[in-house]
Amino acid sequence: MTEVPATAIVIDDDPAIREALGSLLRSVGFDVKLLASVDDFLKSGRPNGPTCLVLDVRLPGQSGLEFQRELLRRNIQLPIVFITGHGDIPMSVQAMKGGAIEFLTKPFREQDLLDAVHVGLARDRVWIENEKALAKLRASFESLTPREREVMAMVVIGRLNKQIAADLGVSEITVKVHRSQVMQKMHAKSLPELALMADKLKLEPGKPQGS
């Protein structure tokens, strides 16, 4: 499969700065989107591939820091490199506490911006891959029957087959069959691996899930 290109999105209300940053980022091979406000970004939508936002702190309408807080509230992952001509320490601390990659005060070194964007895109690639893996894991879990989910929830906390059989009112042989099906459908090679999957799925220990 062809890898989806990485995109750097510049949001700055100064057209000259937008164009200068766009030229710089294109010169190292990034796809670039140039926007004047957060509202423009919300209208245009986020690209499918790895993305890093180069975001001015002061913007018409919603400010860069306000947008960062909104993303955090909505639990949306989006790497941000802040740029500003009016930075101060409290502002930079707030941005970094919110998970910003970097907080650069204009004028800044071009290499500092490029380095920060590279870090942001690398972070987003990892996040995208993790989300894909989690989606695959969820699909495997959805393929389990309600009883298999019950068995999985008990197996991962270390309950023995005979204990699970007593809990569920079925034979030990039946539990063994369900357990084998769980391992096969979840593509788990060992009990510790299955337990790790349950942790990633945030299954409540020992309780049936989604039945």
Side-chain angles (χ1 to χ4, degrees):
M1 280 181 70
T2 304
E3 185 176 345
V4 180
T7 304
I9 301 176
V10 178
I11 305 180
D12 195 302
D13 60 336
D14 186 322
I17 291 177
R18 279 203 307 274
E19 291 300 328
L21 293 178
S23 296
L24 171 65
L25 292 162
R26 289 190 190 98
S27 72
V28 295
F30 295 135
D31 280 5
V32 178
K33 287 179 69 173
L34 304 178
L35 304 169
S37 68
V38 169
D39 191 50
D40 287 347
F41 171 77
L42 296 174
K43 288 176 182 175
S44 65
R46 175 179 175 165
N48 291 325
T51 303
C52 183
L53 204 57
V54 178
L55 182 61
D56 193 8
V57 171
R58 294 189 177 182
L59 291 165
Q62 191 174 33
S63 75
L65 289 172
E66 287 170 344
F67 184 47
Q68 183 191 39
R69 287 195 293 270
E70 181 182 341
L71 291 173
L72 289 171
R73 281 196 303 270
R74 294 167 61 183
N75 198 30
I76 295 174
Q77 166 74 21
L78 184 59
I80 297 174
V81 175
F82 278 108
I83 56 175
T84 182
H86 313 278
D88 56 39
I89 291 175
M91 191 182 292
S92 64
V93 169
Q94 180 184 339
M96 300 306 285
K97 279 187 175 180
I101 304 297
E102 186 59 274
F103 190 94
L104 301 173
T105 303
K106 303 170 186 175
F108 46 80
R109 290 176 60 245
E110 292 183 348
Q111 192 58 49
D112 288 342
L113 176 69
L114 293 176
D115 289 346
V117 171
H118 275 294
V119 170
L121 291 170
R123 185 178 294 181
D124 206 37
R125 282 190 189 94
V126 170
W127 184 83
I128 289 171
E129 288 305 311
N130 287 342
E131 283 298 296
K132 286 180 181 177
L134 185 56
K136 187 176 179 180
L137 198 58
R138 288 189 183 119
S140 296
F141 182 73
E142 289 299 317
S143 73
L144 301 180
T145 66
R147 180 48 59 88
E148 287 165 354
R149 294 178 194 180
E150 287 182 306
V151 170
M152 176 176 170
M154 294 177 182
V155 164
V156 296
I157 61 169
R159 289 188 69 74
L160 303 174
N161 289 346
K162 62 182 179 181
Q163 294 172 318
I164 297 171
D167 290 339
L168 298 179
V170 299
S171 72
E172 194 171 336
I173 292 175
T174 299
V175 172
K176 287 180 180 178
V177 171
H178 286 317
R179 184 170 180 155
S180 175
Q181 285 293 101
V182 168
M183 298 296 285
Q184 182 179 337
K185 291 182 179 180
M186 295 301 296
H187 308 287
K189 297 180 179 65
S190 65
L191 180 55
E193 186 178 1
L194 187 68
L196 182 60
M197 291 175 178
D199 185 57
K200 288 180 179 178
L201 290 166
K202 294 181 169 57
L203 300 191
E204 197 171 341
K207 293 188 178 181
Q209 307 287 327
S211 57

